[in-house]
């Protein structure tokens, strides 16, 4: 997150996309808690999202006047309104019962198409070859985040070169994080980080760049950007 804030200041992007699952909804998930895991209350999650996304919003607007802030809904995000619609259907369409009501600066959608050649959405295909299958079967560059793997799969055919991207996660994860105790102390093939997309003057996507966190240190284009101050500095 710190690296993202820093790069937003430096790169001054035209668009910042939250690609789903900023809100988790651990207490209103269909999955039961593991033992006595300390799951945050909905109001606490909502306030945390407002704080973090608010910092992104303020940083992005300071870096570029007309920046677009978009949020592609993820399956965890939808737990917020889905629970209300299920348990209290009479409150549907009342302001505040939809997640987007609490984030007026962000445009909510299922997906975002850029330059008619790059689709950004939370999820499509699953499995180990999801990013490859996404770009293969869509015929577009495809950016997803559901699998949290932070990777790029290039593909070339008669239409040219295109990319399947997984944009990773900003969340801490692992056996010591309560919301992931369902993993039963198993390793997660996930990665902390995010993707940066750049387009040429013709609107073509250039090879995507990844900012990745390794052992508490965030790297972008092989350069150290930030590090966890709780650990030894590099």
């Amino acid at each position: 997150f710190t690296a993202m804030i820093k790069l937003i200041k430096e790169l001054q992007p035209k668009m910042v996309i939250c690609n789903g699952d900023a809100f988790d909804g651990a207490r209103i998930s269909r999955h039961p808690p593991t033992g006595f895991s300390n799951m945050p209350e909905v109001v606490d999650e909502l306030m945390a999202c407002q704080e973090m996304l608010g910092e992104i919003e303020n940083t992005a607007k300071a870096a570029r006047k007309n920046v677009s802030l978009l949020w592609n809904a993820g399956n965890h995000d939808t737990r917020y309104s889905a629970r209300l619609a299920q348990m209290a259907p009479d409150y549907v369409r009342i302001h505040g019962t939809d997640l987007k009501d609490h984030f007026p600066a962000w445009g909510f959608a299922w997906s975002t198409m850029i330059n008619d050649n790059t689709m950004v959405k939370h999820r499509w295909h699953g499995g180990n070859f999801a990013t490859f299958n996404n770009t293969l079967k869509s015929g577009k560059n495809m950016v997803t985040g559901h699998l949290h793997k932070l990777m790029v799969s290039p593909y070339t055919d008669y239409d040219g070169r295109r990319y399947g991207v997984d944009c990773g996660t900003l969340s801490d994860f692992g056996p010591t994080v309560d919301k992931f105790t369902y993993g039963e102390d198993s390793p997660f093939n996930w990665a902390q980080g995010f993707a940066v997309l750049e387009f040429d003057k013709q609107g073509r996507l250039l090879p995507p760049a990844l900012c990745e966190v390794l052992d508490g240190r965030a790297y972008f284009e092989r350069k150290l950007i930030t590090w966890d101050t709780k650990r030894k500095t590099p």
Side-chain angles (χ1 to χ4, degrees):
F1 181 84
T2 305
M4 172 177 280
I5 293 298
K6 184 173 182 178
L7 285 178
I8 287 175
K9 293 177 181 178
E10 293 181 4
L11 301 178
Q12 302 176 2
K14 292 183 178 179
M15 182 182 296
V16 178
I17 301 178
C18 171
N19 207 21
D21 289 356
F23 177 86
D24 183 41
R27 284 200 178 212
I28 53 177
S29 166
R30 61 185 176 86
H31 301 291
T34 304
F36 292 94
S37 298
N38 184 25
M39 301 297 183
E41 300 208 9
V42 170
V43 65
D44 294 326
E45 277 201 43
L46 192 61
M47 291 174 64
C49 288
Q50 289 173 329
E51 177 183 353
M52 306 303 277
L53 287 169
E55 186 173 350
I56 293 175
E57 174 190 341
N58 292 335
T59 303
K61 288 182 176 180
R64 180 183 287 266
K65 182 178 180 181
N66 296 319
V67 64
S68 296
L69 301 173
L70 303 175
W71 186 338
N72 295 328
N75 52 303
H76 287 226
D77 299 320
T78 59
R79 289 172 177 172
Y80 182 90
S81 55
R83 178 65 174 266
L84 284 168
Q86 179 183 20
M87 304 300 294
D90 293 334
Y91 287 85
V92 171
R93 293 188 294 114
I94 293 177
H95 186 80
T97 58
D98 201 337
L99 188 63
K100 64 183 180 182
D101 297 336
H102 301 273
F103 301 89
W106 294 78
F108 276 71
W110 286 114
S111 63
T112 301
M113 178 67 80
I114 303 174
N115 295 338
D116 199 36
N117 63 37
T118 301
M119 171 61 79
V120 185
K121 65 196 312 292
H122 181 65
R123 60 177 178 172
W124 191 22
H125 290 289
N128 289 332
F129 303 100
T131 51
F132 176 83
N133 286 326
N134 285 342
T135 191
L136 171 68
K137 297 180 180 181
S138 68
K140 306 284 186 182
N141 302 298
M142 176 76 79
V143 183
T144 54
H146 180 63
L147 299 180
H148 319 306
K149 290 188 176 183
L150 194 64
M151 59 183 294
V152 178
S153 298
Y155 180 77
T156 306
D157 58 15
Y158 286 125
D159 291 327
R161 185 80 158 172
R162 58 184 186 269
Y163 304 92
V165 181
D166 186 297
C167 57
T169 178
L170 297 185
S171 176
D172 289 328
F173 59 86
T176 61
V177 181
D178 273 348
K179 64 180 177 179
F180 298 122
T181 53
Y182 61 78
E184 300 176 357
D185 202 18
S186 300
F188 292 97
N189 185 22
W190 300 351
Q192 276 190 303
F194 54 91
V196 176
L197 306 183
E198 185 176 358
F199 298 81
D200 65 15
K201 293 182 179 180
Q202 288 70 46
R204 178 177 55 190
L205 178 64
L206 301 175
L210 302 177
C211 180
E212 182 167 357
V213 176
L214 300 171
D215 192 28
R217 299 171 174 86
Y219 296 88
F220 181 68
E221 295 182 335
R222 298 182 298 281
K223 296 179 181 179
L224 181 65
I225 303 298
T226 61
W227 58 85
D228 187 344
T229 55
K230 296 178 182 178
R231 308 188 188 198
K232 293 181 179 179
T233 55

